[in-house]
Amino acid sequence: MAEQIIIPAGGDKPNQDVFSETLQRLAATDKNIIAVTSDSRGSGKLVPFGKSFPKQIVEVGIAEQNLVGVAAGLASCDKKVFAVSPACFLTARALEQIKNDICYSDNSATVVGISAGVSYGALGSTHHSLHDFAVLRAINNIIIVAPADNFETVKATELAAESKHPVYLRFGKRVMPSLKEDNSDGFEFGKGRVITEGSDVAIIANGETVYPAVKAAEKLKANGIAATVVSMHTIKPLDTELLMKLAATCKAIVTVEEHSVYGGLGEACASYLLQHGYAKPFKIMGIPDEYTITGPQLDIFKHYGISEEGIADEVTKLLR
Amino acid sequence: MTTEDLKIKSINYRKNILKYIVGANAGHTGGSLSCTDILNVLYNHVLNVSPQNFSSPDRDRYVQSKGHCVEALFVVLADKGFFPEEDLNTLCKYKSHYIGHPTKKVKGVEQNTGALGHGLPICVGTAIAAKLDEKDFRVFTLMGDGELPEGSNWEAALSASHYKLDNLCAIVDKNSLQITAPTADVMNTDPLDKKWEAFGWAVKEVNGNDIDELKAAFAALPFEKGKPSVIIAHTTKGKGVSFMENELKWHHGVPNKEQYQQAINELDKSLTEVTA
């Protein structure tokens, strides 16, 4: 395991930049770390990686199915492979390769969806990935992770490199502030991170929606509502222990994600809770079943209520 | 192994393919019989793969992209000692690992395949790994001619020549029939040699049911330094059983008792001729 690096509070980079920096650090001491790209080293911030380790990057051109097949073949020879491509293409066009070549054959490659969700805002629905959690959740043998800040990104990348089974990492382009002053509680796949604690409502978010959830919790606090905010970075396996704890202690649960309201984090939580006796107010926030309005990512977020105000309003309504 | 020995093996493999397909009441008969000789020569004459070295990183790799013809692979793997042949009596039965497509749960199988167009991309990755590690093992994949319209094959073909993977060999089992109709009528891929050449591959065409021609082709690998090799193996679907040869219905037809007996009789007759 590479030495731990501590990212100071106030993390100030896009997660996908931190991913590529972490990968570069790992590659420096491990020649088995291989990045596979589909003309995506620029957007994946892997240009420096490619320059530093030309023998540890495999370019396949704009060919996502081959990207994943090649990654599987490399992983079968004990390479620690990261197949990096925009999430929108990777998880749709190459879904069968992810399902069969990576997951079914258990070739322990990491599939890295960059510029995920609506990161590509104004480029439109061809470039949005609002389906990736849903499709991958229905595939056996893949850990699905959407880190929320730079610290989670570093840790997730390190864990993925050592994972003996397939992993999906999902990153966005926006600068992500650090969620906690103190990261000593660590990070592991399948264990949600509690960012703030309060017993009125639990807001469970992931990826780039955790930050607005934290801001919403601050706003709610000013109005006398105490919220627990959880970064549920791992959607599969879900931290059901934490989920049940939240169900027991809070009056309502809201989930927030940069994904369709169908099939993602919200439905994963709802499904588990409903089958285990939860009967309190519950709301899934995300992108509704439509081709989204376009514009900058944050404008899209605001439009659909994924914002400090939107989340706070939804919580307030739910607690009435 | 001599050509005569290999010919005898091919006939016995064909008998076993039919035996276990009948036992399972399922299977891809025609295609398994068309690629029998290819698998026979690969496993008994070419590949450095055995039950003893199967966990060695230096073993040769074989990935069956046309996974539906798993029966041919299973009988060859059983003959090579990867598992007891009687295990194949459970083919396609409840909870058996011996299912209708290759799975790594069966010792000797490198990758789970069955969806078409997957073998070559995986083999490209494996061949790149060999180059990176400066290892001498070689990588082989068997593809059907019917699976060639899958675009992922050509993505992989491009990258194989781009990376000069002369440690990679694709074999196309060109039996010219697929589930619906003759391949040329479903989606014509001819002239196949020109297509592979255009993608930067070195090409050889052989009679894929002729042991000597197969041996000679594999012995000539790589056909050109710095280029991946493809063997276009012209075969007969249903090879070895007169009423199955070039008959579409035997793509995944299962012989009844009388047909099975006739097929075995014909193969036994061939065996007598070879050993005479």
Side-chain angles (χ1 to χ4, degrees):
Chain A
M1 199 64 172
E3 71 176 277
Q4 188 176 342
I5 65 167
I6 307 293
I7 292 186
D12 55 354
K13 291 180 179 177
N15 287 340
Q16 61 193 44
D17 296 29
V18 172
F19 157 73
S20 58
E21 287 172 10
T22 308
L23 201 64
Q24 187 155 344
R25 175 170 55 80
L26 297 174
T29 55
D30 187 349
K31 67 178 174 51
N32 282 322
I33 297 273
I34 306 276
V36 192
T37 53
S38 52
D39 198 24
S40 48
R41 75 181 69 195
S43 44
K45 299 296 190 307
L46 288 162
V47 171
F49 180 102
K51 283 182 178 153
S52 303
F53 310 107
K55 286 191 165 173
Q56 287 170 250
I57 190 160
V58 176
E59 176 62 66
V60 299
I62 303 171
E64 290 79 13
Q65 294 177 64
N66 195 42
L67 173 92
V68 176
V70 165
L74 285 160
S76 77
C77 297
D78 298 327
K79 299 296 175 194
K80 299 169 183 177
V81 187
F82 289 78
V84 185
S85 186
C88 51
F89 312 131
L90 184 58
T91 59
R93 200 175 193 120
L95 180 61
E96 194 183 67
Q97 281 73 17
I98 296 171
K99 174 192 161 206
N100 294 337
D101 307 351
I102 304 276
C103 300
Y104 182 36
S105 282
D106 197 21
N107 289 311
S108 62
T110 300
V111 180
V112 184
I114 55 171
S115 308
V118 292
S119 294
Y120 281 132
L123 298 184
S125 291
T126 52
H127 282 58
H128 295 170
S129 66
L130 300 172
H131 61 277
D132 47 346
F133 297 154
V135 296
L136 295 176
R137 273 184 65 219
I139 288 171
N140 174 245
N141 190 34
I142 188 162
I143 298 165
I144 305 168
V145 187
D149 66 1
N150 294 178
F151 166 75
E152 289 187 9
T153 298
V154 170
K155 290 302 182 191
T157 306
E158 289 173 351
L159 289 175
E162 299 306 319
S163 176
K164 298 295 173 213
H165 299 289
V167 178
Y168 175 63
L169 298 181
R170 188 201 215 225
F171 298 119
K173 289 153 67 96
R174 196 154 58 93
V175 169
M176 295 315 293
S178 188
L179 294 169
K180 294 176 86 163
E181 291 274 326
D182 176 8
N183 288 320
S184 60
D185 57 340
F187 177 95
E188 59 181 293
F189 291 154
K191 292 285 172 209
R193 287 175 79 219
V194 177
I195 310 299
T196 67
E197 291 194 82
S199 57
D200 289 323
V201 63
I203 308 171
I204 302 169
N206 67 8
E208 299 195 356
T209 65
V210 180
Y211 182 68
V214 170
K215 300 305 283 181
E218 287 170 11
K219 193 178 164 76
L220 289 164
K221 195 175 178 181
N223 296 331
I225 297 171
T228 290
V229 175
V230 170
S231 169
M232 196 68 91
H233 45 76
T234 307
I235 302 175
K236 194 180 177 185
L238 196 63
D239 188 349
T240 52
E241 193 185 332
L242 176 59
L243 211 49
M244 291 310 286
K245 202 171 128 190
L246 297 172
T249 55
C250 295
K251 297 172 192 150
I253 293 177
V254 176
T255 65
V256 194
E257 61 198 300
E258 191 179 357
H259 186 273
S260 167
V261 291
Y262 293 161
L265 172 69
E267 285 196 351
C269 294
S271 168
Y272 187 86
L273 289 167
L274 183 63
Q275 293 179 82
H276 290 81
Y278 181 80
K280 293 185 219 174
F282 188 92
K283 172 72 184 177
I284 295 173
M285 297 185 71
I287 308 290
D289 183 30
E290 64 183 62
Y291 292 104
T292 69
I293 57 107
T294 49
Q297 181 201 34
L298 285 187
D299 289 347
I300 298 175
F301 272 22
K302 279 193 184 117
H303 180 86
Y304 294 111
I306 304 169
S307 61
E308 180 181 342
E309 298 76 18
I311 297 166
D313 287 351
E314 207 60 60
V315 167
T316 308
K317 269 193 274 176
L318 206 60
L319 290 173
R320 267 184 204 144
Chain B
M1 206 171 274
T2 68
T3 297
E4 187 182 309
D5 291 339
L6 289 169
K7 281 181 178 174
I8 292 166
K9 272 199 182 290
S10 273
I11 294 164
N12 286 324
Y13 288 155
R14 287 191 164 94
K15 286 174 68 177
N16 280 347
I17 287 166
L18 292 167
K19 175 182 167 184
Y20 294 113
I21 282 176
V22 167
N25 195 29
H28 287 83
T29 312
S32 289
L33 294 174
S34 71
C35 69
T36 305
D37 302 300
I38 298 166
L39 284 169
N40 179 8
V41 174
L42 270 172
Y43 273 92
N44 293 304
H45 195 73
V46 178
L47 293 175
N48 173 30
V49 173
S50 66
Q52 292 71 36
N53 80 349
F54 195 66
S55 55
S56 162
D58 298 318
R59 73 193 181 278
D60 285 336
R61 309 301 203 277
Y62 168 77
V63 175
Q64 190 157 311
S65 195
K66 52 174 294 176
H68 54 288
C69 296
V70 71
E71 292 83 11
L73 178 62
F74 282 169
V75 302
V76 173
L77 291 178
D79 180 53
K80 295 293 291 180
F82 280 95
F83 50 83
E85 195 199 288
E86 56 267 28
D87 284 7
L88 294 177
N89 289 315
T90 68
L91 182 68
C92 291
K93 301 281 199 298
Y94 180 60
K95 287 193 171 177
S96 173
H97 290 328
Y98 301 89
I99 63 172
H101 289 95
T103 156
K104 288 161 79 174
K105 286 183 177 169
V106 175
K107 194 173 178 195
V109 173
E110 287 285 354
Q111 298 291 345
N112 298 357
T113 53
L116 295 168
H118 286 247
L120 192 58
I122 295 170
C123 286
V124 168
T126 309
I128 290 172
K131 294 275 186 189
L132 288 172
D133 292 341
E134 297 178 345
K135 286 185 177 293
D136 292 332
F137 72 80
R138 297 183 296 172
V139 186
F140 297 82
T141 186
L142 178 67
M143 309 163 79
D145 52 348
E147 79 172 290
L148 292 179
E150 289 281 12
S152 51
N153 292 317
W154 302 101
E155 292 181 12
L158 271 180
S159 60
S161 60
H162 180 87
Y163 285 106
K164 301 182 170 60
L165 300 178
D166 53 10
N167 54 347
L168 172 65
C169 173
I171 306 114
V172 178
D173 178 15
K174 195 175 193 309
N175 60 32
S176 301
L177 282 180
Q178 58 194 98
I179 196 165
T180 301
T183 298
D185 296 341
V186 176
M187 184 50 59
N188 185 27
T189 53
D190 289 330
L192 205 45
D193 56 337
K194 297 281 185 289
K195 287 183 175 65
W196 286 97
E197 280 168 12
F199 276 75
W201 287 57
V203 185
K204 269 197 195 301
E205 301 208 44
V206 300
N207 176 344
N209 295 127
D210 184 291
I211 301 289
D212 282 326
E213 285 196 36
L214 287 165
K215 279 165 82 173
F218 286 121
L221 289 172
F223 304 149
E224 209 173 312
K225 193 167 167 37
K227 280 189 178 183
S229 306
V230 60
I231 296 171
I232 299 172
H234 295 268
T235 60
T236 301
K237 200 153 182 170
K239 178 72 181 178
V241 180
S242 62
F243 61 90
M244 291 183 181
E245 290 192 357
N246 291 315
E247 277 294 333
L248 195 62
K249 72 171 183 182
W250 293 105
H251 173 81
H252 55 17
V254 177
N256 63 27
K257 204 172 163 187
E258 292 74 25
Q259 290 166 328
Y260 173 64
Q261 198 50 58
Q262 187 188 334
I264 295 299
N265 292 345
E266 286 186 18
L267 289 163
D268 281 340
K269 188 164 172 281
S270 303
L271 207 50
T272 310
E273 287 163 5
V274 171
T275 51

